[in-house]
Short mmCIF file of all heavy atoms in Angstrom, two decimals:
data_model
loop_
_atom_site.label_atom_id
_atom_site.label_comp_id
_atom_site.label_asym_id
_atom_site.label_seq_id
_atom_site.Cartn_x
_atom_site.Cartn_y
_atom_site.Cartn_z
N THR A 65 96.45 163.40 39.62
CA THR A 65 95.79 162.54 40.55
C THR A 65 96.20 162.90 41.95
O THR A 65 97.23 163.52 42.21
CB THR A 65 96.14 161.08 40.24
OG1 THR A 65 97.52 160.83 40.57
CG2 THR A 65 95.82 160.68 38.86
N LYS A 66 95.35 162.39 42.90
CA LYS A 66 95.60 162.68 44.32
C LYS A 66 96.97 162.05 44.72
O LYS A 66 97.77 162.71 45.43
CB LYS A 66 94.47 162.12 45.13
CG LYS A 66 94.51 162.48 46.58
CD LYS A 66 93.19 162.09 47.29
CE LYS A 66 93.18 162.55 48.67
NZ LYS A 66 91.85 162.14 49.32
N SER A 67 97.23 160.79 44.34
CA SER A 67 98.48 160.18 44.77
C SER A 67 99.69 160.89 44.19
O SER A 67 100.75 160.96 44.69
CB SER A 67 98.50 158.66 44.37
OG SER A 67 98.42 158.49 43.01
N GLY A 68 99.53 161.40 42.92
CA GLY A 68 100.63 162.12 42.30
C GLY A 68 100.98 163.38 42.98
O GLY A 68 102.16 163.75 43.08
N ILE A 69 99.98 164.07 43.53
CA ILE A 69 100.20 165.27 44.30
C ILE A 69 100.99 164.99 45.54
O ILE A 69 101.94 165.63 45.95
CB ILE A 69 98.89 165.99 44.58
CG1 ILE A 69 98.29 166.53 43.31
CG2 ILE A 69 99.12 167.13 45.56
CD1 ILE A 69 96.88 167.05 43.39
N PHE A 70 100.55 163.83 46.30
CA PHE A 70 101.28 163.49 47.49
C PHE A 70 102.69 163.04 47.22
O PHE A 70 103.61 163.40 47.88
CB PHE A 70 100.50 162.34 48.21
CG PHE A 70 99.30 162.81 48.93
CD1 PHE A 70 98.01 162.40 48.48
CD2 PHE A 70 99.38 163.65 50.07
CE1 PHE A 70 96.85 162.83 49.13
CE2 PHE A 70 98.21 164.06 50.71
CZ PHE A 70 96.99 163.70 50.30
N ASP A 71 102.90 162.34 46.08
CA ASP A 71 104.19 161.96 45.67
C ASP A 71 105.08 163.22 45.36
O ASP A 71 106.23 163.25 45.79
CB ASP A 71 104.17 161.09 44.39
CG ASP A 71 103.61 159.75 44.62
OD1 ASP A 71 103.56 159.26 45.79
OD2 ASP A 71 103.28 159.01 43.65
N PHE A 72 104.50 164.17 44.71
CA PHE A 72 105.25 165.40 44.48
C PHE A 72 105.69 166.08 45.76
O PHE A 72 106.86 166.48 45.88
CB PHE A 72 104.39 166.38 43.63
CG PHE A 72 105.01 167.74 43.56
CD1 PHE A 72 106.01 168.05 42.64
CD2 PHE A 72 104.64 168.79 44.38
CE1 PHE A 72 106.60 169.27 42.58
CE2 PHE A 72 105.17 170.02 44.33
CZ PHE A 72 106.15 170.32 43.44
N CYS A 73 104.81 166.18 46.68
CA CYS A 73 105.08 166.84 48.01
C CYS A 73 106.22 166.04 48.77
O CYS A 73 107.14 166.65 49.27
CB CYS A 73 103.89 166.95 48.91
SG CYS A 73 102.64 168.06 48.26
N ASN A 74 106.09 164.73 48.75
CA ASN A 74 107.13 163.92 49.45
C ASN A 74 108.47 164.02 48.73
O ASN A 74 109.51 164.12 49.37
CB ASN A 74 106.66 162.41 49.45
CG ASN A 74 105.57 162.23 50.51
OD1 ASN A 74 105.43 162.98 51.52
ND2 ASN A 74 104.77 161.29 50.24
N ASN A 75 108.43 164.01 47.36
CA ASN A 75 109.69 164.18 46.62
C ASN A 75 110.30 165.56 46.90
O ASN A 75 111.56 165.67 46.98
CB ASN A 75 109.42 163.95 45.15
CG ASN A 75 109.16 162.48 44.81
OD1 ASN A 75 109.48 161.54 45.56
ND2 ASN A 75 108.52 162.29 43.67
N PHE A 76 109.48 166.55 46.94
CA PHE A 76 109.98 167.91 47.17
C PHE A 76 110.74 167.99 48.52
O PHE A 76 111.84 168.52 48.62
CB PHE A 76 108.84 168.93 47.12
CG PHE A 76 109.29 170.30 47.45
CD1 PHE A 76 109.88 171.11 46.46
CD2 PHE A 76 109.10 170.88 48.73
CE1 PHE A 76 110.19 172.43 46.75
CE2 PHE A 76 109.48 172.15 48.98
CZ PHE A 76 110.05 172.93 48.02
N GLU A 77 110.07 167.43 49.54
CA GLU A 77 110.72 167.45 50.87
C GLU A 77 112.02 166.61 50.93
O GLU A 77 112.97 167.08 51.50
CB GLU A 77 109.72 166.95 51.92
CG GLU A 77 108.61 167.93 52.18
CD GLU A 77 107.60 167.41 53.28
OE1 GLU A 77 107.35 166.21 53.31
OE2 GLU A 77 107.19 168.29 54.06
N THR A 78 111.99 165.50 50.29
CA THR A 78 113.22 164.64 50.20
C THR A 78 114.34 165.36 49.47
O THR A 78 115.47 165.43 49.94
CB THR A 78 112.89 163.29 49.48
OG1 THR A 78 111.92 162.64 50.23
CG2 THR A 78 114.09 162.43 49.40
N CYS A 79 114.05 165.98 48.35
CA CYS A 79 115.03 166.68 47.55
C CYS A 79 115.54 167.89 48.36
O CYS A 79 116.76 168.16 48.32
CB CYS A 79 114.49 167.15 46.22
SG CYS A 79 114.21 165.85 45.04
N LEU A 80 114.71 168.59 49.09
CA LEU A 80 115.16 169.71 49.83
C LEU A 80 116.07 169.28 50.92
O LEU A 80 117.15 169.84 51.12
CB LEU A 80 113.97 170.45 50.43
CG LEU A 80 114.27 171.63 51.34
CD1 LEU A 80 114.98 172.75 50.50
CD2 LEU A 80 113.05 172.19 51.94
N LYS A 81 115.74 168.20 51.64
CA LYS A 81 116.61 167.70 52.69
C LYS A 81 117.98 167.27 52.12
O LYS A 81 119.04 167.54 52.74
CB LYS A 81 115.95 166.52 53.40
CG LYS A 81 114.81 166.97 54.33
CD LYS A 81 114.12 165.76 54.97
CE LYS A 81 112.93 166.27 55.72
NZ LYS A 81 112.12 165.20 56.32
N GLU A 82 117.96 166.56 51.00
CA GLU A 82 119.25 166.16 50.36
C GLU A 82 120.09 167.32 49.95
O GLU A 82 121.33 167.34 50.09
CB GLU A 82 118.99 165.22 49.18
CG GLU A 82 118.45 163.84 49.59
CD GLU A 82 117.97 163.01 48.42
OE1 GLU A 82 118.14 163.44 47.26
OE2 GLU A 82 117.46 161.87 48.66
N SER A 83 119.45 168.36 49.39
CA SER A 83 120.15 169.58 48.96
C SER A 83 120.75 170.30 50.17
O SER A 83 121.89 170.77 50.09
CB SER A 83 119.25 170.53 48.18
OG SER A 83 118.80 169.92 47.02
N ILE A 84 120.07 170.38 51.24
CA ILE A 84 120.59 171.05 52.49
C ILE A 84 121.83 170.29 52.96
O ILE A 84 122.77 170.88 53.35
CB ILE A 84 119.44 171.12 53.58
CG1 ILE A 84 118.43 172.14 53.09
CG2 ILE A 84 120.10 171.52 54.92
CD1 ILE A 84 117.14 172.10 53.92
N LYS A 85 121.68 168.95 52.96
CA LYS A 85 122.81 168.14 53.41
C LYS A 85 124.02 168.35 52.47
O LYS A 85 125.16 168.51 52.98
CB LYS A 85 122.45 166.65 53.46
CG LYS A 85 123.50 165.72 54.06
CD LYS A 85 123.07 164.32 53.95
CE LYS A 85 122.07 163.94 55.01
NZ LYS A 85 121.80 162.53 55.07
N THR A 86 123.80 168.34 51.21
CA THR A 86 124.87 168.46 50.26
C THR A 86 125.55 169.88 50.31
O THR A 86 126.75 170.01 50.26
CB THR A 86 124.31 168.31 48.81
OG1 THR A 86 123.79 167.00 48.69
CG2 THR A 86 125.43 168.46 47.73
N LEU A 87 124.68 170.87 50.46
CA LEU A 87 125.20 172.27 50.57
C LEU A 87 125.80 172.65 51.91
O LEU A 87 126.50 173.67 52.00
CB LEU A 87 124.03 173.27 50.26
CG LEU A 87 123.44 173.18 48.87
CD1 LEU A 87 122.20 174.06 48.77
CD2 LEU A 87 124.51 173.66 47.80
N LYS A 88 125.61 171.79 52.89
CA LYS A 88 126.11 171.99 54.25
C LYS A 88 125.75 173.43 54.71
O LYS A 88 126.60 174.17 55.14
CB LYS A 88 127.60 171.78 54.30
CG LYS A 88 127.96 170.33 53.96
CD LYS A 88 129.45 170.07 53.94
CE LYS A 88 129.66 168.59 53.57
NZ LYS A 88 131.01 168.28 53.19
N LEU A 89 124.55 173.74 54.62
CA LEU A 89 124.05 175.07 55.03
C LEU A 89 124.21 175.21 56.56
O LEU A 89 124.03 174.26 57.36
CB LEU A 89 122.56 175.19 54.70
CG LEU A 89 122.23 175.19 53.24
CD1 LEU A 89 120.71 175.31 53.00
CD2 LEU A 89 122.93 176.32 52.46
N PRO A 90 124.58 176.41 56.98
CA PRO A 90 124.81 176.64 58.44
C PRO A 90 123.51 176.89 59.21
O PRO A 90 123.52 177.42 60.29
CB PRO A 90 125.66 177.88 58.45
CG PRO A 90 125.30 178.64 57.18
CD PRO A 90 124.95 177.56 56.18
N TYR A 91 122.37 176.61 58.59
CA TYR A 91 121.09 176.83 59.22
C TYR A 91 120.09 175.73 58.81
O TYR A 91 120.29 175.02 57.82
CB TYR A 91 120.51 178.21 58.87
CG TYR A 91 120.52 178.51 57.37
CD1 TYR A 91 119.48 178.05 56.63
CD2 TYR A 91 121.60 179.17 56.81
CE1 TYR A 91 119.49 178.36 55.24
CE2 TYR A 91 121.65 179.41 55.44
CZ TYR A 91 120.56 178.99 54.63
OH TYR A 91 120.56 179.24 53.29
N ASN A 92 119.08 175.59 59.55
CA ASN A 92 117.99 174.65 59.23
C ASN A 92 116.99 175.28 58.26
O ASN A 92 116.65 176.48 58.34
CB ASN A 92 117.21 174.28 60.51
CG ASN A 92 117.34 172.80 60.87
OD1 ASN A 92 118.00 172.08 60.13
ND2 ASN A 92 116.70 172.43 61.96
N LEU A 93 116.52 174.47 57.35
CA LEU A 93 115.50 174.94 56.37
C LEU A 93 114.45 173.86 56.27
O LEU A 93 114.77 172.67 55.96
CB LEU A 93 116.17 175.23 55.06
CG LEU A 93 115.27 175.77 53.93
CD1 LEU A 93 114.72 177.14 54.34
CD2 LEU A 93 116.08 175.90 52.61
N ASP A 94 113.26 174.22 56.62
CA ASP A 94 112.15 173.25 56.54
C ASP A 94 111.03 173.79 55.75
O ASP A 94 110.97 175.02 55.45
CB ASP A 94 111.61 172.97 57.94
CG ASP A 94 112.62 172.27 58.80
OD1 ASP A 94 113.14 171.29 58.39
OD2 ASP A 94 112.79 172.69 59.99
N THR A 95 110.08 172.90 55.34
CA THR A 95 108.92 173.29 54.61
C THR A 95 107.64 172.90 55.32
O THR A 95 107.69 171.89 56.13
CB THR A 95 108.89 172.72 53.21
OG1 THR A 95 108.83 171.29 53.32
CG2 THR A 95 110.05 173.16 52.38
N SER A 96 106.59 173.58 55.14
CA SER A 96 105.29 173.17 55.62
C SER A 96 104.34 173.23 54.37
O SER A 96 104.32 174.26 53.72
CB SER A 96 104.75 174.09 56.69
OG SER A 96 105.55 174.00 57.85
N LEU A 97 103.66 172.13 54.14
CA LEU A 97 102.84 172.07 52.94
C LEU A 97 101.40 172.00 53.33
O LEU A 97 101.00 171.34 54.26
CB LEU A 97 103.23 170.83 52.12
CG LEU A 97 104.66 170.75 51.67
CD1 LEU A 97 104.93 169.36 51.06
CD2 LEU A 97 105.00 171.79 50.65
N GLY A 98 100.57 172.69 52.56
CA GLY A 98 99.07 172.59 52.67
C GLY A 98 98.57 172.13 51.37
O GLY A 98 98.99 172.57 50.27
N LEU A 99 97.75 171.12 51.42
CA LEU A 99 97.27 170.44 50.20
C LEU A 99 95.78 170.20 50.27
O LEU A 99 95.33 169.67 51.20
CB LEU A 99 98.09 169.16 50.02
CG LEU A 99 97.63 168.09 49.04
CD1 LEU A 99 97.62 168.62 47.59
CD2 LEU A 99 98.51 166.91 49.11
N ALA A 100 95.11 170.56 49.22
CA ALA A 100 93.65 170.22 49.08
C ALA A 100 93.32 170.04 47.61
O ALA A 100 93.94 170.79 46.79
CB ALA A 100 92.80 171.27 49.79
N ILE A 101 92.34 169.26 47.36
CA ILE A 101 91.90 169.09 45.93
C ILE A 101 90.53 169.59 45.88
O ILE A 101 89.63 169.19 46.61
CB ILE A 101 92.01 167.65 45.52
CG1 ILE A 101 93.47 167.17 45.58
CG2 ILE A 101 91.42 167.43 44.15
CD1 ILE A 101 93.67 165.65 45.35
N PHE A 102 90.26 170.56 44.99
CA PHE A 102 88.94 171.14 44.74
C PHE A 102 88.50 170.77 43.39
O PHE A 102 89.23 170.91 42.40
CB PHE A 102 88.95 172.64 44.93
CG PHE A 102 89.39 173.05 46.30
CD1 PHE A 102 90.72 173.31 46.61
CD2 PHE A 102 88.41 173.24 47.28
CE1 PHE A 102 91.08 173.76 47.91
CE2 PHE A 102 88.77 173.66 48.56
CZ PHE A 102 90.12 173.93 48.92
N GLN A 103 87.21 170.43 43.27
CA GLN A 103 86.61 170.20 41.97
C GLN A 103 86.39 171.51 41.27
O GLN A 103 86.03 172.49 41.93
CB GLN A 103 85.30 169.44 42.13
CG GLN A 103 85.43 168.02 42.73
CD GLN A 103 86.35 167.16 41.90
OE1 GLN A 103 86.26 167.11 40.67
NE2 GLN A 103 87.23 166.42 42.53
N PRO A 104 86.55 171.56 39.94
CA PRO A 104 86.37 172.83 39.20
C PRO A 104 85.00 173.44 39.38
O PRO A 104 84.88 174.66 39.39
CB PRO A 104 86.61 172.44 37.81
CG PRO A 104 87.41 171.18 37.81
CD PRO A 104 87.01 170.48 39.07
N ASP A 105 84.03 172.59 39.65
CA ASP A 105 82.67 173.12 39.85
C ASP A 105 82.26 173.37 41.26
O ASP A 105 81.10 173.54 41.62
CB ASP A 105 81.66 172.27 39.13
CG ASP A 105 81.61 170.85 39.71
OD1 ASP A 105 82.54 170.46 40.41
OD2 ASP A 105 80.70 170.08 39.26
N SER A 106 83.23 173.36 42.14
CA SER A 106 82.93 173.61 43.58
C SER A 106 82.50 175.04 43.78
O SER A 106 82.74 175.90 43.02
CB SER A 106 84.17 173.31 44.46
OG SER A 106 85.12 174.30 44.31
N ASN A 107 81.87 175.31 44.91
CA ASN A 107 81.40 176.64 45.25
C ASN A 107 82.36 177.49 45.97
O ASN A 107 82.07 178.60 46.41
CB ASN A 107 80.11 176.52 46.03
CG ASN A 107 78.97 175.94 45.19
OD1 ASN A 107 78.89 176.26 44.02
ND2 ASN A 107 78.08 175.17 45.77
N TYR A 108 83.60 177.00 46.15
CA TYR A 108 84.64 177.75 46.84
C TYR A 108 85.17 178.90 46.00
O TYR A 108 85.48 178.66 44.81
CB TYR A 108 85.80 176.85 47.28
CG TYR A 108 85.42 175.85 48.37
CD1 TYR A 108 85.34 174.49 48.00
CD2 TYR A 108 85.29 176.21 49.63
CE1 TYR A 108 85.03 173.55 49.02
CE2 TYR A 108 84.92 175.26 50.63
CZ TYR A 108 84.85 173.95 50.27
OH TYR A 108 84.55 173.03 51.24
N THR A 109 85.36 180.06 46.60
CA THR A 109 86.04 181.12 45.91
C THR A 109 87.56 180.82 46.07
O THR A 109 87.97 179.97 46.84
CB THR A 109 85.74 182.50 46.57
OG1 THR A 109 86.31 182.48 47.89
CG2 THR A 109 84.32 182.81 46.57
N LEU A 110 88.30 181.52 45.29
CA LEU A 110 89.75 181.32 45.39
C LEU A 110 90.28 181.67 46.81
O LEU A 110 91.08 181.01 47.38
CB LEU A 110 90.52 182.20 44.33
CG LEU A 110 92.03 182.08 44.35
CD1 LEU A 110 92.52 180.69 44.15
CD2 LEU A 110 92.60 182.97 43.31
N ASP A 111 89.74 182.73 47.38
CA ASP A 111 90.13 183.16 48.72
C ASP A 111 89.82 182.07 49.76
O ASP A 111 90.57 181.79 50.63
CB ASP A 111 89.44 184.50 49.13
CG ASP A 111 90.07 185.66 48.37
OD1 ASP A 111 91.22 185.55 47.93
OD2 ASP A 111 89.40 186.70 48.34
N GLN A 112 88.63 181.46 49.60
CA GLN A 112 88.23 180.37 50.49
C GLN A 112 89.19 179.17 50.39
O GLN A 112 89.53 178.58 51.35
CB GLN A 112 86.78 179.99 50.26
CG GLN A 112 85.78 181.02 50.68
CD GLN A 112 84.35 180.69 50.20
OE1 GLN A 112 84.18 180.13 49.10
NE2 GLN A 112 83.36 181.03 50.99
N ALA A 113 89.48 178.82 49.12
CA ALA A 113 90.37 177.70 48.91
C ALA A 113 91.69 177.97 49.47
O ALA A 113 92.32 177.09 50.09
CB ALA A 113 90.43 177.43 47.40
N VAL A 114 92.26 179.13 49.29
CA VAL A 114 93.55 179.48 49.85
C VAL A 114 93.50 179.41 51.35
O VAL A 114 94.47 178.95 52.02
CB VAL A 114 94.08 180.88 49.36
CG1 VAL A 114 95.26 181.33 50.16
CG2 VAL A 114 94.34 180.84 47.85
N GLU A 115 92.46 179.89 51.95
CA GLU A 115 92.32 179.87 53.44
C GLU A 115 92.29 178.41 53.92
O GLU A 115 92.94 178.15 54.94
CB GLU A 115 90.99 180.54 53.83
CG GLU A 115 90.82 180.73 55.29
CD GLU A 115 89.55 181.50 55.68
OE1 GLU A 115 89.20 182.42 54.92
OE2 GLU A 115 88.96 181.19 56.68
N ILE A 116 91.57 177.52 53.27
CA ILE A 116 91.56 176.12 53.66
C ILE A 116 92.99 175.53 53.55
O ILE A 116 93.41 174.85 54.48
CB ILE A 116 90.57 175.38 52.75
CG1 ILE A 116 89.11 175.81 53.13
CG2 ILE A 116 90.72 173.82 52.97
CD1 ILE A 116 88.07 175.32 52.11
N VAL A 117 93.63 175.77 52.37
CA VAL A 117 94.94 175.20 52.24
C VAL A 117 95.93 175.75 53.24
O VAL A 117 96.81 175.07 53.80
CB VAL A 117 95.44 175.39 50.80
CG1 VAL A 117 96.84 174.93 50.63
CG2 VAL A 117 94.50 174.64 49.84
N ASP A 118 95.85 177.07 53.55
CA ASP A 118 96.71 177.69 54.54
C ASP A 118 96.50 177.06 55.86
O ASP A 118 97.49 176.77 56.60
CB ASP A 118 96.38 179.17 54.59
CG ASP A 118 97.43 180.01 55.29
OD1 ASP A 118 98.63 179.75 54.97
OD2 ASP A 118 97.03 180.84 56.14
N GLU A 119 95.27 176.79 56.28
CA GLU A 119 95.02 176.13 57.52
C GLU A 119 95.64 174.70 57.58
O GLU A 119 96.25 174.32 58.62
CB GLU A 119 93.54 176.00 57.79
CG GLU A 119 93.10 175.43 59.15
CD GLU A 119 91.66 175.38 59.36
OE1 GLU A 119 90.93 176.36 58.92
OE2 GLU A 119 91.17 174.42 59.99
N LEU A 120 95.54 173.99 56.44
CA LEU A 120 96.19 172.67 56.42
C LEU A 120 97.73 172.75 56.52
O LEU A 120 98.34 171.90 57.16
CB LEU A 120 95.75 171.93 55.14
CG LEU A 120 94.31 171.57 55.00
CD1 LEU A 120 93.96 171.14 53.59
CD2 LEU A 120 93.96 170.49 56.02
N MET A 121 98.28 173.82 55.95
CA MET A 121 99.74 174.00 56.06
C MET A 121 100.13 174.20 57.54
O MET A 121 101.13 173.63 57.99
CB MET A 121 100.15 175.22 55.22
CG MET A 121 101.68 175.44 55.31
SD MET A 121 102.18 177.10 54.81
CE MET A 121 101.33 178.12 56.05
N TYR A 122 99.42 174.97 58.24
CA TYR A 122 99.71 175.20 59.66
C TYR A 122 99.57 173.97 60.47
O TYR A 122 100.32 173.72 61.43
CB TYR A 122 98.92 176.40 60.28
CG TYR A 122 99.54 177.69 59.79
CD1 TYR A 122 98.90 178.49 58.84
CD2 TYR A 122 100.78 178.12 60.22
CE1 TYR A 122 99.46 179.67 58.40
CE2 TYR A 122 101.33 179.34 59.82
CZ TYR A 122 100.69 180.08 58.87
OH TYR A 122 101.32 181.23 58.39
N LYS A 123 98.55 173.13 60.14
CA LYS A 123 98.41 171.80 60.85
C LYS A 123 99.63 170.93 60.58
O LYS A 123 100.13 170.24 61.47
CB LYS A 123 97.15 171.15 60.40
CG LYS A 123 95.83 171.79 60.99
CD LYS A 123 94.63 171.04 60.53
CE LYS A 123 93.39 171.73 61.10
NZ LYS A 123 92.13 171.03 60.68
N HIS A 124 100.10 170.94 59.29
CA HIS A 124 101.24 170.16 58.98
C HIS A 124 102.47 170.65 59.74
O HIS A 124 103.27 169.82 60.28
CB HIS A 124 101.48 170.29 57.45
CG HIS A 124 102.72 169.52 56.93
ND1 HIS A 124 103.92 170.16 56.70
CD2 HIS A 124 102.87 168.25 56.64
CE1 HIS A 124 104.80 169.25 56.25
NE2 HIS A 124 104.13 168.08 56.19
N LYS A 125 102.63 171.94 59.87
CA LYS A 125 103.71 172.53 60.59
C LYS A 125 103.64 172.18 62.09
O LYS A 125 104.67 171.82 62.67
CB LYS A 125 103.69 174.00 60.38
CG LYS A 125 104.82 174.78 61.05
CD LYS A 125 104.75 176.25 60.72
CE LYS A 125 105.97 176.98 61.27
NZ LYS A 125 105.92 178.43 60.86
N ALA A 126 102.47 172.25 62.66
CA ALA A 126 102.29 171.89 64.06
C ALA A 126 102.62 170.45 64.32
O ALA A 126 103.25 170.12 65.32
CB ALA A 126 100.92 172.21 64.53
N ASN A 127 102.20 169.57 63.46
CA ASN A 127 102.46 168.12 63.59
C ASN A 127 104.01 167.90 63.48
O ASN A 127 104.59 167.06 64.22
CB ASN A 127 101.79 167.27 62.55
CG ASN A 127 100.25 167.18 62.86
OD1 ASN A 127 99.86 167.29 63.98
ND2 ASN A 127 99.48 166.99 61.81
N TYR A 128 104.66 168.58 62.62
CA TYR A 128 106.06 168.46 62.47
C TYR A 128 106.82 168.87 63.77
O TYR A 128 107.74 168.18 64.20
CB TYR A 128 106.61 169.36 61.29
CG TYR A 128 108.09 169.41 61.18
CD1 TYR A 128 108.85 168.35 60.60
CD2 TYR A 128 108.84 170.41 61.76
CE1 TYR A 128 110.19 168.37 60.46
CE2 TYR A 128 110.26 170.48 61.65
CZ TYR A 128 110.90 169.44 61.03
OH TYR A 128 112.26 169.48 60.98
N HIS A 129 106.37 169.92 64.42
CA HIS A 129 107.04 170.42 65.64
C HIS A 129 106.71 169.57 66.82
O HIS A 129 107.36 169.67 67.83
CB HIS A 129 106.74 171.88 65.76
CG HIS A 129 107.48 172.79 64.88
ND1 HIS A 129 108.79 172.99 64.91
CD2 HIS A 129 107.00 173.52 63.82
CE1 HIS A 129 109.15 173.77 63.91
NE2 HIS A 129 108.07 174.11 63.21
N LYS A 130 105.71 168.68 66.75
CA LYS A 130 105.41 167.81 67.84
C LYS A 130 106.39 166.66 67.90
O LYS A 130 106.53 166.03 68.92
CB LYS A 130 103.97 167.26 67.71
CG LYS A 130 102.86 168.19 68.01
CD LYS A 130 101.51 167.59 67.84
CE LYS A 130 100.44 168.60 68.08
NZ LYS A 130 99.11 168.00 67.91
N LYS A 131 107.06 166.36 66.78
CA LYS A 131 107.95 165.26 66.79
C LYS A 131 109.23 165.47 67.65
O LYS A 131 109.71 166.45 67.79
CB LYS A 131 108.48 165.00 65.31
CG LYS A 131 107.32 164.51 64.38
CD LYS A 131 107.87 164.33 63.02
CE LYS A 131 106.77 164.01 62.05
NZ LYS A 131 107.21 163.82 60.68
#
């Protein structure tokens, strides 16, 4: 489900932050996620879908760096 995917992404970011804190890494490690849901019968090719998701990932990254 859509909410399950968002939960997964949020949990992934939370777990990563906790792991970095626990490991006391000497560097910053961040993620940028791109997420889209496509219907199996959509007219998008795999390349088009990846391009859309890639663009969303860069928007997520840009919003993160605005903070």
